[in-house]
Amino acid sequence: ILSATDGSVVVGGHDITGYSAKQLTDFRREEVGFVFQSVNLVPFLTARENLLMVGRLYHLGSARARSRADELLHAFDLADAADRPLKGFSGGMRRRVDLAGALVINPRVLFLDEPTTGLDPQARIALWEVIRERVADGTTVLLTTQYLEEADQLADQISVIDRGRVIAEGTSDELKASVGGQRVQLTLVEESDVERAAGILRRHGTGEVSVQGRDLTVQVQEATSALAAVLGEVSAEGIAVHEAGVRRPTLDDVFLTLTGHRAEADDEEMSA
């Protein structure tokens, strides 16, 4: 739909930068699958009917479309619900049908646009397993996500995007190493103690103190001695602590260090 302003696009070894609309349609039909941010299915059709429709749109033919629909319904544990209208499905089940639809042609490259947004933790983890299985079968997956834990769990390579620009790239471990150090983290009993606790962490840390509600985190040079010193001062100040410990940097820390703010839905995201 849009012409490139710069650069090139190579998918599966094919340079498609100058392809016409028809060439792109033909290429996508053979090579590429998509799952959009919102479920892109017909709610009053059954799961089977939705997959048959997608198969026909990809010109698979009736017999091949039926065969592929049956394969995917079993693969996604949807066989028992195959003939129920989609409007009665849970969010996680709808997303599985949506992902199955993107795999009707068994694409070499699969684009997933925030596929787990709005799912409960159990459904999100189940979908992670499906994505891992596709990668293990040889599919290349490009995933955009606002959940940095998701990028950490699934991605071999990560691009950090802030306000439309790539600001860092690498593996999860490489990105975490780039911000350095370990973190001392406290969870307070009372939110009213946050300011005093932040002052203590500031004295023993090497950077800004991150505050999220009753959770405070700061980067330190020597984790064990810093934690001991912080706990000693916190106790002397009479500040009640629910939890305290040391941890490695997370991708949230990476994003916060690189941008000065946390990732937010529909504004900043991490692409894997």
Side-chain angles (χ1 to χ4, degrees), residues 213-244:
R214 294 180 294 115
D215 296 323
L216 297 89
T217 308
V218 71
Q219 182 177 335
V220 296
Q221 285 188 334
E222 212 300 305
T224 303
S225 60
L227 178 61
V230 166
L231 289 177
E233 291 193 32
V234 163
S235 178
E237 288 279 340
I239 298 173
V241 175
H242 182 65
E243 288 183 345

Side-chain angles (χ1 to χ4, degrees), residues 47-48 51 68-79 81-82 97 100:
R48 188 188 308 278
L51 295 183
R68 190 66 181 138
D70 286 341
E71 290 174 21
L72 290 165
L73 288 166
H74 283 285
F76 283 77
D77 196 24
L78 292 164
V97 179

Side-chain angles (χ1 to χ4, degrees), residues 35 39-42 45-51 54 72-73 76 78 81-82 84 86 89-104 127:
V35 173
V39 174
N40 195 30
L41 298 168
V42 182
L45 295 181
T46 67
R48 188 188 308 278
E49 288 168 341
N50 269 283
L51 295 183
V54 173
L72 290 165
L73 288 166
F76 283 77
L78 292 164
R84 287 167 39 199
L86 214 69
F89 282 24
S90 67
M93 291 176 68
R94 290 189 190 192
R95 183 54 88 185
R96 275 188 282 156
V97 179
D98 203 21
L99 185 52
L103 297 173
V104 163
L127 198 59

Side-chain angles (χ1 to χ4, degrees), residues 168-190:
E169 293 181 292
T171 66
S172 177
D173 285 341
E174 287 169 348
L175 290 172
K176 290 173 184 177
S178 72
V179 301
Q182 291 184 306
R183 269 70 176 161
V184 166
Q185 182 170 322
L186 300 179
T187 300
L188 306 182
V189 173
E190 301 293 340

Side-chain angles (χ1 to χ4, degrees), residues 188-223:
L188 306 182
V189 173
E190 301 293 340
E191 194 164 348
S192 58
D193 290 326
V194 164
E195 276 302 317
R196 289 192 296 153
I200 294 170
L201 286 174
R202 206 169 286 121
R203 288 196 291 274
H204 296 281
T206 59
E208 288 298 314
V209 177
S210 170
V211 178
Q212 294 288 311
R214 294 180 294 115
D215 296 323
L216 297 89
T217 308
V218 71
Q219 182 177 335
V220 296
Q221 285 188 334
E222 212 300 305

Side-chain angles (χ1 to χ4, degrees), residues 8 14 19 23 25-26 31 39-40 60 70 84-85 99 108 121 137 158 164 186 188 197 226 228 247 249 269-270:
S8 61
H14 301 277
Y19 275 25
Q23 286 176 307
T25 300
D26 292 340
E31 302 280 347
V39 174
N40 195 30
L60 292 186
D70 286 341
R84 287 167 39 199
L99 185 52
R108 294 175 60 190
D137 286 342
I158 298 171
L186 300 179
L188 306 182
R247 64 168 177 78
E269 60 190 19
M270 197 165 276

Side-chain angles (χ1 to χ4, degrees), residues 5-66:
T5 55
D6 195 9
S8 61
V9 181
V10 179
V11 180
H14 301 277
D15 187 337
I16 63 172
T17 309
Y19 275 25
S20 67
K22 183 180 185 307
Q23 286 176 307
L24 284 172
T25 300
D26 292 340
F27 175 78
R28 191 185 80 173
R29 185 178 297 137
E30 298 175 0
E31 302 280 347
V32 181
F34 294 89
V35 173
F36 299 100
Q37 185 173 356
S38 56
V39 174
N40 195 30
L41 298 168
V42 182
F44 57 82
L45 295 181
T46 67
R48 188 188 308 278
E49 288 168 341
N50 269 283
L51 295 183
L52 288 172
M53 177 185 67
V54 173
R56 297 300 299 274
L57 289 172
Y58 275 113
H59 303 290
L60 292 186
S62 297
R64 179 59 181 146
R66 281 196 300 272

